[in-house]
Amino acid sequence: MEWNELLIRYGEISLKGRNRNVFVRKLRNNIKDALSDLTTVVIRPERDRMFLFADDNQDMQEAIARLPYIFGIQSFSPVAKCEATLETIKNKALDVIGASETIGKTFKVEIRRTDKSFPLETNELQQEIGAHVLRSFPELGVRMKKPDILLRVDIRAEGAFLTAKVYEGAGGMPVGSNGHSLLMLSGGIDSPVAGYLMMKRGVSIDAIHFASPPFTGELAKKKVVDLAEKLSSFGAAVRLHIIPFTEIQQIIVTQIPDNVSMTTTRRMMLQIADKVRMEIGALAIITGESLGQVASQTLESLTAINAVTSTPILRPLISSDKLEIIDIAQKIGTYDISIRPYEDCCTIFTPSNPKTKPRLEKVAYYESFTDFAPMIEEAVAKRTMYQLPRQQNTDFEDLL
Ligand code: ATP
Ligand code: MG
């Protein structure tokens, strides 16, 4: 079937009042980026919907395959256009219905006439077209409420426009329409999922990872690069900052009592992350923390860790169960990377009995004997960066 255009519906962004233009522009740019190799594609945004055209039918089919992965699209429909005469509309209706599965399905015709000069009344049209479709597809049932196939015929001065199929979009908001944040990306299961969820909410990201060579190896680093690359398939390039963290961790091991060393480790990480955040102009920090999951994720721990900054910390998984998180990780394709067996810096230095209720004053007191500030500066300055260009997403169909 050769479609003439795609009708793209925005969903939530249409609620955004005066900001709508920003959202629409972002979505258009993101779609353009995602389809940049399809040379015949042209996009025309309107106030509350967008149209996509492609001269080449192959480009059109490829666009249909890629749009479900772009955040900010609620749904889209392929549209067939024809001359606005009864005969051509009836014939086109057969093509359009024929492009969907018809066995065991119900259908209904809906007519919209902005061109009032069209000779037939809406009711007559509906009956003519409906009867014609049923003659060719006798297996179809007719149903007025919630039919499987809703054949819409839009009659305008410039022609008739027919749609029958609605593809679900990924929902969410266009990546980049809600600002930029820094994701603390470990090699674990949770933080990539946290990054994905914020991207879905329109946030573009840089990622920061703490490595402790030689205790953590090249393969642990490769794992994080692969995770960041996976995230870059959800709508925007991701830049990854890898922080040399060995020196600070070794000092913590010797200077801070075992049962609060995890809290101090987190506090150092957060201070470093905050400095990088400021340098790159990001507004918030994202983590994969989930309440109660481990000792460092009790409310008392989060309070002690959080005390080093007033920057907003976004924790999209705070109320999620591990199984729910794993479920998303599997669907977005990060799970298999996360379970590779290479340990990150925290796993290696984890004490056996971390306090679940560390007291902020105590932690700050133990830290006060060491001048961490220059080490923090140095770690920020000595970071290595990787630019991971936007990837084409091909393998997260399960999510749809
Ligand atoms: P994850 O599965 O994301 O590793 P986790 O359940 O292992 O999470 P923690 O190890 O307590 O939990 O880490 C909590 C959060 O701190 C992580 O989700 C991540 O955002 C951040 N974090 C932990 N370790 C690192 C690291 N080496 N580099 C960057 N961020 C980290
Ligand atoms: Mg972890």
Side-chain angles (χ1 to χ4, degrees):
M1 172 75 195
E2 295 218 358
W3 299 104
N4 297 86
E5 57 190 52
L6 298 182
L7 162 65
I8 300 171
R9 302 177 193 86
Y10 302 153
E12 199 169 345
I13 57 177
S14 54
L15 303 175
K16 285 288 162 180
R18 272 186 302 161
N19 286 336
R20 183 189 305 206
N21 286 344
V22 178
F23 284 70
V24 171
R25 211 173 307 132
K26 203 75 196 177
L27 180 59
R28 186 184 69 162
N29 289 342
N30 291 356
I31 294 175
K32 263 182 147 172
D33 276 358
L35 308 181
S36 59
D37 57 317
L38 311 180
T39 47
T40 70
V41 166
V42 174
I43 299 162
R44 195 183 74 213
E46 284 183 4
R47 221 181 117 69
D48 45 14
R49 55 196 184 164
M50 202 175 278
F51 291 95
L52 184 153
F53 308 88
D55 276 346
D56 182 285
N57 192 43
Q58 202 100 35
D59 281 0
M60 186 59 104
Q61 296 304 332
E62 186 59 27
I64 292 174
R66 290 186 199 174
L67 286 186
Y69 307 115
I70 299 173
F71 294 133
I73 296 176
Q74 184 201 22
S75 66
F76 63 95
S77 296
V79 184
K81 185 183 171 191
C82 67
E83 216 186 314
T85 67
L86 184 58
E87 277 316 299
T88 44
I89 294 175
K90 277 162 70 176
N91 286 334
K92 203 54 152 182
L94 298 187
D95 293 345
V96 169
I97 294 281
S100 299
E101 174 62 59
T102 51
I103 309 286
K105 304 286 180 191
T106 56
F107 101 114
K108 172 188 171 181
V109 185
E110 199 173 272
I111 310 281
R112 225 174 346 158
R113 273 184 347 143
T114 26
D115 179 16
K116 299 292 178 203
S117 68
F118 195 77
L120 289 182
E121 283 301 319
T122 303
N123 279 347
E124 290 172 82
L125 260 173
Q126 213 158 350
Q127 274 172 13
E128 279 274 349
I129 297 171
H132 189 63
V133 167
L134 282 178
R135 273 194 294 274
S136 289
F137 299 95
E139 70 274 22
L140 277 174
V142 175
R143 193 168 165 179
M144 290 301 126
K145 265 190 184 164
K146 296 202 174 169
D148 299 317
I149 303 172
L150 177 62
L151 173 66
R152 295 184 81 141
V153 182
D154 211 344
I155 299 172
R156 296 183 230 153
E158 64 272 30
F161 298 78
L162 288 76
T163 59
K165 201 174 171 91
V166 179
Y167 290 88
E168 282 291 306
M173 296 187 183
V175 176
S177 65
N178 270 331
H180 193 71
S181 292
L182 180 62
L183 168 68
M184 295 180 68
L185 183 61
S186 69
I189 294 168
D190 305 330
S191 42
V193 173
Y196 161 80
L197 290 175
M198 293 316 301
M199 290 175 92
K200 183 171 184 199
R201 213 51 210 159
V203 175
S204 62
I205 59 171
D206 270 35
I208 185 171
H209 175 74
F210 297 84
S212 295
F215 304 101
T216 59
E218 277 304 304
L219 287 172
K221 190 164 90 182
K222 169 88 169 47
K223 186 176 167 183
V224 176
V225 171
D226 288 353
L227 285 171
E229 185 168 69
K230 195 85 209 172
L231 289 176
S232 71
S233 66
F234 297 108
V238 173
R239 189 169 43 174
L240 171 65
H241 307 252
I242 297 197
I243 304 283
F245 201 50
T246 318
E247 188 191 352
I248 294 180
Q249 284 205 292
Q250 284 176 321
I251 301 256
I252 292 173
V253 169
T254 58
Q255 303 291 317
I256 307 288
D258 249 20
N259 58 3
V260 292
S261 66
M262 182 51 90
T263 313
T264 294
T265 305
R266 294 272 180 251
R267 281 160 59 86
M268 296 304 148
M269 283 185 174
L270 192 52
Q271 287 175 73
I272 292 168
D274 207 23
K275 289 203 185 305
V276 172
R277 174 200 66 77
M278 217 153 13
E279 269 190 30
I280 63 173
L283 290 177
I285 292 171
I286 303 164
T287 76
E289 286 155 323
S290 165
L291 193 64
Q293 202 185 78
V294 288
S296 60
Q297 297 176 23
T298 61
L299 283 181
E300 290 82 358
S301 281
L302 292 177
T303 304
I305 296 165
N306 223 144
V308 299
T309 179
S310 59
T311 298
I313 315 284
L314 309 178
R315 301 180 173 96
L317 301 178
I318 199 70
S319 69
S320 301
D321 294 347
K322 193 74 185 184
L323 288 178
E324 295 169 338
I325 301 171
I326 288 176
D327 193 41
I328 301 177
Q330 283 171 332
K331 286 175 174 163
I332 65 176
T334 55
Y335 184 76
D336 288 339
I337 306 173
S338 291
I339 59 171
R340 289 183 204 158
Y342 314 107
E343 301 191 316
D344 76 356
C345 60
C346 295
T347 329
I348 288 164
F349 287 90
T350 300
S352 50
N353 58 336
K355 263 198 185 319
T356 53
K357 298 186 175 182
R359 295 227 338 259
L360 175 58
E361 316 81 74
K362 278 243 169 92
V363 178
Y365 171 76
Y366 295 132
E367 287 173 12
S368 69
F369 297 98
T370 307
D371 188 7
F372 284 104
M375 290 182 255
I376 290 174
E377 293 293 347
E378 193 185 340
V380 171
K382 287 196 172 155
R383 69 188 192 272
T384 45
M385 279 184 250
Y386 295 79
Q387 182 68 47
L388 303 161
R390 188 182 188 292
Q391 304 290 311
Q392 211 54 260
N393 203 331
T394 48
D395 64 348
F396 89 125
E397 272 166 31
D398 292 353
L399 201 61
L400 305 175

